[in-house]
């Protein structure tokens, strides 16, 4: 592989799609250069020539693919025969509800004095993580309302002074109400083959729902991991079968 053909993965710790991208390439024995954008300021500068300011991104010479779409990554690096079978939309929706319910059960078990502790090597607190999970689901409904999914949709955080346990619970309830309303009125009639208005590439509504679901599921796994690291005996954890059939990363967090 020549110098101009080097495969590079631009990522950051705790990013669900980043971890999945690296695992995907490793599983198919594709060598790549790891570029952690939080640990190396130059990494983001390297992405600037593509006009990009988000991760995961896989580059090969002058070409790139968004790591959120494994088919595009496979095409870029020459991987063939990848199974992209998805669970049916109704089952995906059931899983999303399981993950959102589980998130709030797990969040309730985090001690008050640890709510704003930061995740390893990532400027994101446990409270921010819970907010992010519900924000992902919120962004899914927003897209149905005509609001495109942009990079900033996944970067939202609770406002300072509105990030207490009661604020997060209120936000979670608001999101669940919006989800339930959309499901009751529109889910059955949704055209799942219609293109979704998302920043990371050409995706239909079924693919967007799948990503929303496993994205929330992976972050919920991180909450369980946080509790286990605090030596908390997790009550009513999310069962393993809730993750079955989803394109999840194998690991919970980057080494």
């Amino acid at each position: 592989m020549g110098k101009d053909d080097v495969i590079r993965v631009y990522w950051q710790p705790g990013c669900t799609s980043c971890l999945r991208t690296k695992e995907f390439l490793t599983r198919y024995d594709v060598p790549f250069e790891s570029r952690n954008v939080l640990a190396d300021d130059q990494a983001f500068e390297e992405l600037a020539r593509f006009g990009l300011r988000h991760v995961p991104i896989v580059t090969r010479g002058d070409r790139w693919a968004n790591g959120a779409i494994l088919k595009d990554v496979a095409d870029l690096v020459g991987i063939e025969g990848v199974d992209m079978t998805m669970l049916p939309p109704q089952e995906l929706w059931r899983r999303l509800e399981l993950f959102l319910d589980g998130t709030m059960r797990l969040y309730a078990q985090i001690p008050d004095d640890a709510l704003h502790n930061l995740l390893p090597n990532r400027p994101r607190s446990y409270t921010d993580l819970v907010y992010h999970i519900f924000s992902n689901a919120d962004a899914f409904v927003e897209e149905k309302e005509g609001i495109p999914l942009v990079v900033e949709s996944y970067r939202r955080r609770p406002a300072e002074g509105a990030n207490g346990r009661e604020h997060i619970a209120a936000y979670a309830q608001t999101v669940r109400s919006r989800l339930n309303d959309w499901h009751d009125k529109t889910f059955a009639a949704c055209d799942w083959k219609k293109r979704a208005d998302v920043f990371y590439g050409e995706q239909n509504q079924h693919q967007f729902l799948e990503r929303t679901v496993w994205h929330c599921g992976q972050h919920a796994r991180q909450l369980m991991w946080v509790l286990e690291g605090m030596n908390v005996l997790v009550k009513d954890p999310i069962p393993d079968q809730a993750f079955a059939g989803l394109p999840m990363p194998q690991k919970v967090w980057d080494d």
Side-chain angles (χ1 to χ4, degrees):
M1 185 179 295
K3 183 177 180 180
D4 292 338
D5 205 34
V6 172
I7 296 168
R8 297 181 176 87
V9 178
Y10 295 83
W11 64 282
Q12 64 182 351
C15 164
T16 60
S17 290
C18 298
L19 180 56
R20 189 178 71 145
T21 299
K22 291 186 293 178
E23 288 184 353
F24 177 70
L25 295 176
T26 299
R27 184 163 68 250
Y28 285 93
D29 297 320
V30 176
F32 62 88
E33 184 178 296
S34 177
R35 308 292 285 128
N36 180 351
V37 299
L38 291 187
D40 186 349
D41 292 338
Q42 185 178 343
F44 256 142
E45 295 177 10
E46 293 171 6
L47 286 178
R49 71 188 180 101
F50 297 100
L52 300 168
R53 294 289 296 176
H54 61 271
V55 293
I57 296 294
V58 181
T59 66
R60 186 175 193 176
D62 292 328
R63 295 180 295 147
W64 65 274
N66 194 303
I69 305 178
L70 292 185
K71 182 182 183 303
D72 291 352
V73 174
D75 291 343
L76 178 69
V77 304
I79 296 173
E80 299 179 351
V82 180
D83 183 7
M84 297 294 178
T85 304
M86 294 184 287
L87 295 173
Q90 188 61 55
E91 176 60 18
L92 287 171
W93 193 266
R94 188 183 75 85
R95 303 291 184 92
L96 180 60
E97 292 183 320
L98 285 174
F99 295 148
L100 296 181
D101 287 344
T103 292
M104 293 311 293
R105 289 198 310 273
L106 296 167
Y107 187 52
Q109 297 174 58
I110 296 178
D112 289 341
D113 60 359
L115 292 178
H116 301 293
N117 289 355
L118 298 182
L119 291 154
N121 304 314
R122 180 75 184 269
R124 172 182 279 171
S125 72
Y126 305 157
T127 287
D128 289 343
L129 179 61
V130 173
Y131 185 91
H132 178 65
I133 291 170
F134 281 89
S135 182
N136 289 341
D138 200 11
F140 178 81
V141 175
E142 287 180 343
E143 192 272 345
K144 307 302 172 289
E145 298 171 342
I147 302 173
L149 182 83
V150 296
V151 175
E152 288 72 23
S153 302
Y154 287 155
R155 293 178 176 171
R156 295 181 291 206
R157 294 189 178 190
E160 187 175 353
N163 59 357
R165 198 187 292 275
E166 69 281 5
H167 300 105
I168 300 303
Y171 176 61
Q173 183 57 50
T174 297
V175 172
R176 291 304 298 273
S177 295
R178 281 165 49 76
L179 285 168
N180 291 339
D181 186 60
W182 180 82
H183 181 271
D184 293 345
K185 294 179 179 178
T186 312
F187 187 92
C190 182
D191 180 0
W192 296 104
K193 295 182 179 180
K194 179 182 177 182
R195 181 166 181 169
D197 194 354
V198 299
F199 71 88
Y200 54 89
E202 186 172 342
Q203 295 277 272
N204 61 33
Q205 292 292 339
H206 193 174
Q207 291 166 324
F208 181 30
L209 174 60
E210 182 192 55
R211 190 200 177 190
T212 300
V213 173
W214 76 258
H215 191 170
C216 291
Q218 176 68 359
H219 285 312
R221 287 177 71 201
Q222 292 171 355
L223 276 178
M224 288 194 289
W225 174 70
V226 162
L227 286 166
E228 291 165 357
M230 299 168 66
N231 294 318
V232 172
L233 180 61
V234 182
K235 300 176 182 177
D236 198 9
I238 299 172
D240 290 342
Q241 57 265 35
F243 304 102
L246 293 172
M248 310 283 297
Q250 293 182 347
K251 297 179 181 178
V252 175
W253 199 264
D254 306 274
D255 293 334

